[in-house]
Amino acid sequence: MVLGIISAMSEELELLLKEMDIERTDKKANMEFNYGTLWGKKVVAVVCGIGKVNAAVCTQILISEYKASKIVNVGVAGGIGAEIVPGDLVIANNLVQHDMDTTAFGDKHGQVPRLDTFDFKCDEELVSLAKNVCSNITKHKSFVGRIVTGDQFVANVNKIRWFHEEFNALACEMEGGSIAHVCYLNHVPFVVIRSISDNANTGAHMDYEKFIPIAVENSTNILKGMVLAMK
Ligand code: ADE
């Protein structure tokens, strides 16, 4: 089993890479793939950069070149709805790309045209593993539900209302839906776990900077719990 760990930003993998016994670091597609052992498991940990294209390229390399058999994506997200506040955790059970729009052909917003699924479902075992681990992090609440992805940092109340009404989403971010899409095409189990860094409202960028360290601590703790519990 080789576990692929993807994060969009270098801050998020910094602590984890310090704990990892790195055998080699390969540069591919302008990304550094760190191959080695982490808490007793073979992993490849990589910072993919921001946005759907970076995330998709990275995921395909993990699958094709490193034979990753499971993929976990950790990072930050904007919270949707009043109950979800910065610091909280959202585990996706499915993802949709909110910026995919072929409604002119009669498709629903988010539908990848001519694909046999609307949403990309996370692996049930990985979701329940993540749920167990997150429930031990008592400092923050955790939620399970849909995450929406698009190439936009959202700082607009109307847009988050639309995410709620159209997709019933709990959080929005910029990579998970494309990682999910690539895993779906390759039949590789995956899960996306995000720490809420902002409420995706008009002050989104202000909360964002403040909550990055909390998100980093969350991601590292969650990954540790999950990797240790994995067979
Ligand atoms: N990641 C963290 N906050 C976000 C936001 N408001 N929109 C998109 N991606 C995010």
Side-chain angles (χ1 to χ4, degrees):
M1 199 269 293
V2 176
L3 173 69
I5 297 174
I6 306 177
S7 184
M9 299 186 303
S10 55
E11 302 92 296
E12 281 166 343
L13 284 195
E14 219 170 84
L15 288 180
L16 189 130
L17 290 177
K18 281 193 189 134
E19 303 236 358
M20 193 172 155
D21 180 12
I22 299 172
E23 281 169 42
R24 54 173 221 272
T25 301
D26 310 317
K27 195 146 188 185
K28 293 172 192 282
N30 206 33
M31 298 167 202
E32 289 186 354
F33 291 79
N34 300 286
Y35 177 84
T37 309
L38 179 68
W39 302 309
K41 303 284 185 323
K42 276 281 167 242
V43 309
V44 185
V46 52
V47 176
C48 71
I50 292 167
K52 295 200 303 179
V53 173
N54 283 328
V57 168
C58 177
T59 307
Q60 191 62 55
I61 291 174
L62 280 176
I63 295 169
S64 300
E65 300 198 22
Y66 294 92
K67 310 297 172 209
S69 49
K70 291 177 186 178
I71 291 183
V72 180
N73 170 228
V74 291
V76 291
I80 298 171
E83 289 147 78
I84 301 184
V85 298
D88 286 350
L89 297 156
V90 175
I91 302 157
N93 57 10
N94 71 83
L95 297 101
V96 174
Q97 293 165 35
H98 65 73
D99 57 353
M100 176 59 81
D101 181 357
T102 51
T103 52
F105 295 98
D107 290 330
K108 286 205 300 182
H109 273 286
Q111 173 68 49
V112 177
R114 304 187 182 194
L115 197 66
D116 60 353
T117 187
F118 173 67
D119 59 357
F120 299 105
K121 291 177 182 59
C122 297
D123 179 68
E124 282 177 17
E125 268 179 42
L126 289 174
V127 170
S128 81
L129 187 57
K131 243 162 74 173
N132 287 344
V133 172
C134 288
S135 66
N136 293 331
I137 301 178
T138 46
K139 264 201 279 182
H140 305 291
K141 284 183 284 156
S142 54
F143 299 84
V144 179
R146 175 172 288 166
I147 291 181
V148 287
T149 301
D151 281 325
Q152 299 160 4
F153 185 88
V154 178
N156 176 318
V157 185
N158 292 330
K159 192 116 204 187
I160 57 161
R161 263 193 219 123
W162 183 69
F163 288 162
H164 172 69
E165 283 157 17
E166 183 73 25
F167 300 110
N168 196 23
L170 300 182
C172 61
E173 39 82 310
M174 302 177 73
E175 297 82 22
S178 71
I179 293 170
H181 188 164
V182 175
C183 285
Y184 176 80
L185 297 177
N186 289 274
H187 310 288
V188 171
F190 69 94
V191 68
V192 175
I193 306 155
R194 296 281 175 150
S195 296
I196 299 304
S197 57
D198 57 83
N199 271 113
N201 56 22
T202 44
H205 55 287
M206 285 161 63
D207 293 346
Y208 182 78
E209 298 295 337
K210 195 167 122 207
F211 279 91
I212 293 284
I214 294 172
V216 172
E217 188 189 317
N218 281 342
S219 302
T220 312
N221 288 337
I222 292 165
L223 280 168
K224 185 164 190 172
M226 287 182 73
V227 169
L228 288 174
M230 267 177 198
K231 284 175 211 110

